[in-house]
Amino acid sequence: MKRFLGLFLSLIIVLGMVSGFPISVSAASVSDLTFALNEDGKSYAVTDCKETASGQISIPSEYKGLPVTKIGDYAFYSCGSIEGIEIPSTVASIGRCAFYATYVNKITIPKGVTVLEDGTFSDCYKLSSVTLPEGITSIGEYCFMSCDDLTSITLPSTLKTIGNQAFDSCTGFTTINLPAGVTHI
């Protein structure tokens, strides 16, 4: 009976792939994330995400009773199927290329973040609209490079610097309104 059940389930999976019927995949969860204790010993950083994670994910504001304050360099790099990320207000730092090459289309940056590092959203092909909160002072090099679907970005009045090629190959823009305080592009 177990053998029959195994063969039957295998047949259903194969038929689903061949026939084009979608096979549902569950949304990402906290168990798809890897956390590391920060150097201060009082907070955590998200350092990695399972390649199989997909859909929407909410980063928790706490892990093991301590606040999550950072998203590390390349944390979501191999998570191409993540479509949306909810970042808690406890996060104050987002590392280099943190969301590089994901299919994220929905993201809200918390108010405590002041710098978007180099390549933070580079090659996020599905990202269409971004609102950056007041408090961000710097957008790093290549930050939004090759975000093909990006058509709208709201830049905060606190913005001072925009790095080299920050918006390179963003073909969806027709205009970008620069705040008066920008002193370096």
Side-chain angles (χ1 to χ4, degrees):
M1 181 67 168
K2 286 183 182 179
R3 182 180 169 151
F4 173 75
L5 183 58
L7 287 171
F8 180 72
L9 290 175
S10 297
L11 180 63
I12 289 174
I13 291 170
V14 170
L15 287 175
M17 290 190 293
V18 172
S19 68
F21 287 111
I23 298 173
S24 63
V25 179
S26 62
S29 69
V30 174
S31 64
D32 290 319
L33 301 175
T34 301
F35 296 87
L37 193 61
N38 288 324
E39 290 178 9
D40 66 4
K42 299 176 183 177
S43 61
Y44 277 93
V46 175
T47 59
D48 199 9
C49 177
K50 290 181 183 174
E51 289 182 26
T52 56
S54 65
Q56 176 79 24
I57 190 164
S58 295
I59 296 172
S61 59
E62 286 188 356
Y63 180 75
K64 293 187 177 181
L66 296 175
V68 175
T69 61
K70 182 177 181 179
I71 298 173
D73 295 349
Y74 296 92
F76 289 86
Y77 170 64
S78 59
C79 302
S81 296
I82 294 290
E83 296 172 358
I85 299 172
E86 186 177 325
I87 302 172
S89 61
T90 56
V91 170
S93 175
I94 299 174
R96 271 188 87 178
C97 301
F99 304 105
Y100 177 77
T102 65
Y103 284 103
V104 65
N105 57 24
K106 181 186 175 189
I107 194 157
T108 301
I109 307 296
K111 289 183 179 182
V113 175
T114 58
V115 174
L116 292 181
E117 297 289 341
D118 295 346
T120 301
F121 297 101
S122 182
D123 293 332
C124 288
Y125 305 109
K126 300 285 183 181
L127 189 62
S128 60
S129 177
V130 176
T131 299
L132 301 178
E134 292 297 316
I136 289 186
T137 59
S138 178
I139 295 175
E141 294 182 356
Y142 315 106
C143 190
F144 294 97
M145 185 176 84
S146 297
C147 291
D148 298 343
D149 285 355
L150 189 59
T151 57
S152 171
I153 189 162
T154 303
L155 301 174
S157 63
T158 53
L159 187 63
K160 304 289 182 216
T161 63
I162 299 174
N164 291 334
Q165 299 179 326
F167 298 101
D168 188 32
S169 300
C170 291
T171 58
F173 282 124
T174 54
T175 60
I176 295 179
N177 295 320
L178 294 178
V182 174
T183 58
H184 177 78
I185 298 180

